[in-house]
Amino acid sequence: MTNVKHVPTAAINCQLLYVSQTQASQVESLQALIAEHALPIILNIELVTEKLNQKRRQQLCHTATQPILLLDEKDKLSWLSDGLGVAPEWDKLQRRVVSAGRKSELLLQAAKITADSRVIDATAGFGHDSLILASTGAQVTMLEQQPLMALLLLAEQQRMSALANWQKLMSRLHIINTDALSYFESINNESVADNSKIVDMVYLDPMFPEDSYQDSKTGKGAKVGKHMQALHQLASPPTLDEERQLLQSAQAVVSQNGQKQGRVIVKRPQSAPLLAHQQPSESWHNEAVRFDGYFV
Ligand SMILES: C[S@@+](CC[C@H](N)C(=O)[O-])C[C@H]1O[C@@H](n2cnc3c(N)ncnc32)[C@H](O)[C@@H]1O
């Protein structure tokens, strides 16, 4: 069965494979998500009845002319990148989310947020850091520029919202397919008379060159996980000029915070250069990553 949905011209064509007739309603709800969030994605939908083992997935990817999405028998949506299925898989973070606190999560030491906080994760990616941020009770607006990634996030939120013990956390995540700079610009142009729009923290985890993942002791390149490898096919690191704009406009967003001190937290590989060469107010690090805090 092939079914092409009509959406605006700059849309990305994606092949959506599903594995059982009984998934028709899941396929429909994916299309509904695309329409509701105006994602520029055209799904070319196909039911596959053959077994999709690793070898077959790799073959499919090598011959594909468009990204392939797979809705598996458990209704989990993944993106087949070089034959490997990559998906947000938020359920795998359950233990970290439940026990997340400033002792266990360096990000939360840096972020210093509470249940009253409003946070923007401006580079949502697979949403893993957003989940840790939202575990505090904070409201997290997740910005993701890549429509395909935004669809994976929305589908994951929908899937996880069906599980009773995840519902509250899911309701605190607000996913938007947009470029962070345009979003910041729109906020910075609004006058913030409305307290509910005040942002306490902006989190930035932009792409960085694949070779900047280095072990701080050996100086050798650390292995990049499959999620990051896949992301490198979609998104590139910002230029120095883009880094400057991103940091400056994020700082402008949190400076609308009135009496409270806002902060921008930037995630980097442990030994990577500073974002936009800007000296942070404080840094937190372990062997792998560094969080640079810019207090405003
Ligand atoms: C390194 S990944 C973030 C990983 C994420 N922290 C996580 O926990 O999964 C960077 C992501 O930010 C997105 N991104 C980069 N620049 C962006 C921008 N200006 N606006 C919105 N999203 C952006 C990329 O498409 C990519 O998905």
Side-chain angles (χ1 to χ4, degrees):
M1 185 182 86
T2 305
N3 171 8
V4 179
K5 193 167 181 284
H6 180 73
V7 277
T9 42
I12 315 162
N13 274 285
C14 278
Q15 195 171 9
L16 171 68
L17 307 180
Y18 68 108
V19 293
S20 156
Q21 291 282 12
T22 59
Q23 290 177 313
S25 65
Q26 295 301 323
V27 172
E28 261 174 38
S29 52
L30 281 179
Q31 286 182 302
L33 278 179
I34 290 174
E36 188 191 335
H37 294 267
L39 299 181
I41 292 181
I42 299 170
L43 287 184
N44 301 309
I45 301 166
E46 198 177 325
L47 172 65
V48 277
T49 43
E50 63 177 316
K51 187 131 181 70
L52 286 181
N53 58 21
Q54 183 58 26
K55 195 171 166 208
R56 183 70 189 114
R57 288 174 186 212
Q58 262 164 355
Q59 280 170 347
L60 282 173
C61 289
H62 288 151
T63 52
T65 52
Q66 48 188 256
I68 303 179
L69 294 169
L70 172 67
L71 191 62
D72 71 13
E73 58 289 344
K74 290 186 181 149
D75 291 335
K76 191 178 75 183
L77 184 70
S78 44
W79 165 35
L80 292 189
S81 160
D82 283 338
L84 289 182
V86 285
E89 296 184 303
W90 289 346
D91 31 359
K92 290 198 175 159
L93 269 77
Q94 176 152 15
R95 203 156 352 126
R96 272 181 75 193
V97 168
V98 171
S99 61
R102 287 189 196 167
K103 275 200 180 138
S104 61
E105 293 289 342
L106 202 57
L107 169 57
L108 295 184
Q109 284 177 33
K112 275 221 172 89
I113 49 172
T114 63
D116 301 328
S117 305
R118 284 175 47 91
V119 172
I120 297 178
D121 178 350
T123 50
F126 287 94
H128 297 165
D129 292 328
S130 287
L131 241 59
I132 300 297
L133 293 167
S135 70
T136 59
Q139 297 291 324
V140 181
T141 299
M142 301 165 64
L143 311 180
E144 175 50 55
Q145 66 182 0
Q146 294 293 334
L148 186 67
M149 293 303 298
L151 178 60
L152 288 178
L153 291 171
L154 288 162
E156 186 71 349
Q157 184 184 36
Q158 192 171 64
R159 184 176 78 97
M160 299 297 286
S161 297
L163 308 174
N165 55 341
W166 283 85
Q167 271 162 7
K168 278 197 182 145
L169 184 70
M170 291 300 112
S171 69
R172 296 199 290 274
L173 303 177
H174 313 280
I175 300 162
I176 309 178
N177 173 217
T178 184
D179 165 52
L181 274 178
S182 355
Y183 187 82
F184 291 158
E185 202 176 310
S186 68
I187 297 192
N188 289 331
N189 287 337
E190 279 175 19
S191 66
V192 187
D194 179 356
N195 269 346
S196 70
K197 289 195 173 162
I198 283 175
V199 176
D200 302 284
M201 200 273 267
V202 171
Y203 179 58
L204 301 174
D205 177 14
M207 304 297 292
F208 29 81
E210 274 181 277
D211 59 7
S212 38
Y213 300 77
Q214 261 190 356
D215 186 300
S216 61
K217 289 188 189 116
T218 63
K220 289 192 183 137
K223 205 167 181 313
V224 181
K226 71 170 180 177
H227 285 92
M228 282 309 297
Q229 269 178 34
L231 271 181
H232 275 284
Q233 292 178 28
L234 280 186
S236 346
T239 61
L240 183 58
D241 200 38
E242 286 163 346
E243 288 189 354
R244 284 199 189 106
Q245 286 181 48
L246 206 53
L247 188 54
Q248 269 170 16
S249 39
Q251 285 172 313
V253 168
V254 292
S255 71
Q256 299 195 9
N257 205 338
Q259 302 298 314
K260 286 201 279 176
Q261 188 190 56
R263 54 179 68 192
V264 177
I265 301 294
V266 179
K267 184 180 187 179
R268 312 293 283 161
Q270 210 272 18
S271 4
L274 295 166
L275 188 75
H277 300 322
Q278 289 298 307
Q279 205 57 44
S281 319
E282 193 171 340
S283 284
W284 295 258
H285 71 88
N286 57 27
E287 322 68 64
V289 289
R290 195 179 77 230
F291 293 101
D292 294 331
Y294 298 83
F295 306 156
V296 181

